[in-house]
Amino acid sequence: MLGGFFFCAMSCVCRLAVSALSFATMTLILGLETSCDETAAAVVRDGHRVLSNVVATQHELHEEYRGVVPEIASRAHIERLMPVVEAAMKEAGVTFAQLDAIAVGNRPGLIGSLLVGVSAAKALAWALDKPLLGIDHVRAHLHAAMLTDALADNATLDAARVLYPALGLVVSGGHTSLYHLRSTTDMPVIGRTIDDAIGEAYDKAAVILDLPYPGGPNLDVSLLDKDSLDFSFSGLKTALLYRVRGQPTGRGKDATFERSANDLTSDQRADLAAAFQLAAVKAVTAKLNRAMSQLTERGEQIHSLVIGGGVSANSALRVAVRDFADAHKLRLCLPAMAYCVDNAAMIAGLACEDFTAGRRDDLHLPTIATTSM
Ligand code: KG4
Ligand code: ZN
């Protein structure tokens, strides 16, 4: 009887000790993301374990304009952000008091949209008396591949980690950039688009083809001069335009075309879409090859290939980067589908690294339309 009580008391003490230990090492961050047309909130534990990831997309509001209308986006963020935050907290099963910090994407993006998230994050941090961290959205895309389920085991967490130094690629609606990732904080840009971002090119191609994207032509893409690591997608888009509509008469907005996408059969449109995709993906892998050669020629060791951004959801691109990583014996860090497009889990996850390193922002945190990297 007494032995039973002693065993029970000991196991309670042990359990308390274990929970105190895990509590001591646990960092819980609420992230907010409103840089473009997704209103998102997420709670992430220890930088990797996603307890909740709520995204309210505004696609239906911008569809008829075939592009994001900034004023509509800001207004929708105002209406949706607090319900999204409440849903993220409920799904995570944590209280505001348990949070260690509030993180927010404060650059780059549409200024009116960013301001909604940043103002809300400041209000929460102030009201809850919690630290505030502003996070670069593009840098956060490079953290997305390291996010796991809440209950992931240690082997899964280890396999998702980036081995530095690494080659990084962000392919989104606003960015197509290559990075030499020396560490989590030292990540110089080594190539970027000189015109349209790859996601923007996909979106415009879909408009030209009168398709829900992706769309595209059977044409090659400019690789710029022979050593350049920069990208150019506007030539590909224009080539598609001419292939679909024929040669224009007149210039600019007065141009008239021989035909429209509606004059093509659905097979012709599907062929052009597939060819556009092939050319766009080929442009990306050509630059990855070039970057690897240049870095290894300089004696740099590269251990991982880290991909992020909305276009990393593209099936052809996912296959191509997997083949590239295999050929170069690199660990491939590719986000799960849910973390490719804009989300707040990547904001909260990256914030944990900065938080652990001691970085803090205050209520003067600026909102910046351009990227810092
Ligand atoms: O990262 P993201 O959500 O927003 C920005 O930071 O820009 O990327 C959005 C872009 C859009 O251009 C969208 O068309 C593109 O990602 N995207 C895709 C796919 N899913 C999203 N592009 C090609 N294939 C996809 N499956
Ligand atoms: Zn993004």
Side-chain angles (χ1 to χ4, degrees):
M1 176 79 175
L2 199 62
F5 171 76
F6 181 73
F7 176 78
C8 176
M10 277 309 286
S11 82
C12 287
V13 170
C14 288
R15 244 182 288 147
L16 274 176
V18 168
S19 67
L21 190 72
S22 49
F23 186 73
T25 56
M26 194 168 93
T27 305
L28 274 180
I29 297 191
L30 167 68
L32 309 185
E33 155 61 35
T34 61
S35 65
C36 189
D37 61 343
E38 321 283 357
T39 313
V43 179
V44 176
R45 207 178 93 197
D46 300 330
H48 302 278
R49 297 176 186 278
V50 181
L51 305 194
S52 63
N53 180 41
V54 179
V55 182
T57 174
Q58 302 178 5
H59 290 174
E60 82 288 358
L61 298 179
H62 304 285
E63 208 167 14
E64 65 174 293
Y65 306 100
R66 294 193 150 185
V68 178
V69 182
E71 290 76 8
I72 294 178
S74 317
R75 183 174 292 273
H77 285 309
I78 293 171
E79 288 166 0
R80 296 172 184 198
L81 186 54
M82 287 324 288
V84 165
V85 167
E86 276 158 18
M89 294 297 292
K90 191 165 172 215
E91 196 182 313
V94 301
T95 63
F96 282 108
Q98 287 174 301
L99 295 172
D100 292 285
I102 312 289
V104 60
N106 70 322
R107 64 186 182 275
L110 299 172
I111 197 75
S113 290
L114 284 168
L115 272 167
V116 178
V118 170
S119 306
K122 285 180 180 175
L124 281 169
W126 180 75
L128 300 168
D129 196 19
K130 301 282 180 188
L132 172 71
L133 285 101
I135 296 293
D136 187 299
H137 175 95
V138 184
R139 208 179 134 220
H141 270 307
L142 288 169
H143 185 87
M146 289 193 272
L147 296 171
T148 66
D149 290 348
L151 299 176
D153 57 21
N154 286 340
T156 308
L157 276 174
D158 279 349
R161 263 178 226 285
V162 173
L163 302 173
Y164 293 97
L167 181 61
L169 171 72
V170 174
V171 277
S172 71
H175 289 81
T176 311
S177 304
L178 276 171
Y179 301 86
H180 181 194
L181 307 176
R182 295 195 191 104
S183 69
T184 51
T185 49
D186 181 11
M187 39 179 69
V189 178
I190 55 172
R192 53 160 49 108
T193 180
I194 58 162
D195 41 56
D196 293 351
I198 184 170
E200 206 179 336
Y202 264 101
D203 296 343
K204 288 176 180 167
V207 172
I208 292 168
L209 281 165
D210 201 19
L211 282 176
Y213 82 104
N218 188 8
L219 292 159
D220 216 337
V221 73
S222 155
L223 290 180
L224 303 176
D225 79 64
K226 83 176 174 30
D227 297 322
S228 171
L229 296 179
D230 291 334
F231 300 86
S232 167
F233 291 101
S234 99
L236 177 62
K237 176 196 67 192
T238 308
L240 171 65
L241 180 73
Y242 291 170
R243 185 57 76 92
V244 171
R245 296 188 190 162
Q247 285 300 315
T249 313
R251 298 177 66 127
K253 64 177 172 40
D254 298 324
T256 51
F257 289 90
E258 293 166 12
R259 53 181 184 267
S260 78
N262 293 332
D263 298 322
L264 302 178
T265 65
S266 60
D267 277 358
Q268 283 171 322
R269 285 199 285 169
D271 282 351
L272 287 170
F276 169 86
Q277 171 147 289
L278 193 70
V281 170
K282 229 169 85 185
V284 170
T285 47
K287 289 301 155 80
L288 286 176
N289 265 311
R290 209 176 265 179
M292 269 305 279
S293 317
Q294 289 183 14
L295 289 167
T296 41
E297 265 165 34
R298 295 200 322 240
E300 304 279 357
Q301 295 278 324
I302 298 293
H303 299 302
S304 321
L305 173 64
V306 188
I307 314 282
V311 185
S312 61
N314 185 265
S315 50
L317 189 100
R318 290 177 85 84
V319 170
V321 293
R322 196 166 289 288
D323 290 348
F324 179 88
D326 286 350
H328 293 269
K329 300 196 170 35
L330 301 175
R331 171 177 285 190
L332 178 64
C333 302
L334 186 63
M337 292 298 267
Y339 309 129
C340 292
V341 288
D342 289 348
N343 65 86
M346 66 184 192
I347 301 285
L350 177 59
C352 186
E353 286 185 11
D354 289 4
F355 179 81
T356 310
R359 187 170 81 74
R360 304 286 184 271
D361 288 308
D362 60 24
L363 297 182
H364 296 290
L365 175 73
T367 304
I368 306 169
T370 53
T371 185
S372 58
M373 50 188 290

